[in-house]
């Protein structure tokens, strides 16, 4: 079955690093180092991916049909031609949306049990 015909739930739950990569690429196409920088920035320095780990993750996500390498590039004068750029596939976007909905349900459950930050327990 092709990725486009699969249900997003078939690959859930995502590993946290996989979800972060999808989130970063949901905003725009990025090259590997840009993905690393964005994840570090968005996690306030708590998550620092090593290049080897990032590229293993990218290969796995590409194998699942969530990402692809893109030919689109920024202006040639501001880019290094050796960089590879990645983007979400339509299936990857649907998976990111489904994972976001799944995590929202978990947070609502935690909140209903007074486990959310800032709530006092009786």
């Amino acid at each position: 079955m092709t990725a486009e015909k699969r249900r997003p739930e078939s690959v859930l739950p995502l590993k946290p690093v996989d979800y972060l990569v999808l989130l970063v690429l949901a905003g725009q196409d990025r090259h590997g180092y840009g993905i690393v920088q964005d994840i570090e920035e968005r996690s306030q320095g708590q998550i620092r991916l090593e290049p080897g780990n990032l590229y293993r993750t990218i290969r796995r996500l590409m194998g699942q049909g969530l990402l692809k390498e893109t030919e689109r590039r920024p202006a040639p004068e501001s880019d290094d031609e050796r960089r590879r750029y990645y983007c979400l596939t339509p299936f990857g976007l649907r998976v990111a949306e489904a994972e976001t909905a799944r995590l929202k349900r978990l947070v609502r459950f935690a909140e209903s049990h007074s486990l959310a930050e800032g709530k006092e327990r009786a």
Side-chain angles (χ1 to χ4, degrees), residues 19-69:
Y19 184 55
L20 286 169
V21 170
L22 295 183
L23 288 177
V24 165
L25 291 174
Q28 66 179 338
D29 300 352
R30 303 290 294 168
H31 54 79
Y33 184 64
I35 294 170
V36 168
Q37 288 179 310
D38 282 355
I39 288 174
E40 186 172 340
E41 180 182 319
R42 292 172 194 267
S43 71
Q44 298 174 336
Q46 292 184 346
I47 300 173
R48 293 188 178 120
L49 289 177
E50 295 295 325
N53 291 335
L54 172 69
Y55 288 106
R56 276 190 293 281
T57 298
I58 286 173
R59 279 193 302 276
R60 185 178 63 254
L61 295 174
M62 289 176 72
Q64 293 175 316
L66 304 176
L67 302 181
K68 66 179 180 179
E69 195 172 329

Side-chain angles (χ1 to χ4, degrees), residues 54-115:
L54 172 69
Y55 288 106
R56 276 190 293 281
T57 298
I58 286 173
R59 279 193 302 276
R60 185 178 63 254
L61 295 174
M62 289 176 72
Q64 293 175 316
L66 304 176
L67 302 181
K68 66 179 180 179
E69 195 172 329
T70 181
E71 296 296 322
R72 290 187 300 250
R73 304 182 75 73
E77 64 275 1
S78 65
D79 187 39
D80 182 337
E81 65 185 36
R82 296 171 293 178
R83 287 183 177 157
R84 293 181 179 195
Y85 283 77
Y86 303 94
C87 66
L88 290 182
T89 62
F91 181 61
L93 179 59
R94 292 195 333 264
V95 167
E97 292 168 342
E99 180 69 346
T100 299
R102 186 188 74 80
L103 292 171
K104 282 182 177 181
R105 288 190 301 275
L106 282 175
V107 169
R108 283 194 296 271
F109 179 67
E111 290 171 339
S112 74
H113 287 79
S114 300
L115 296 175

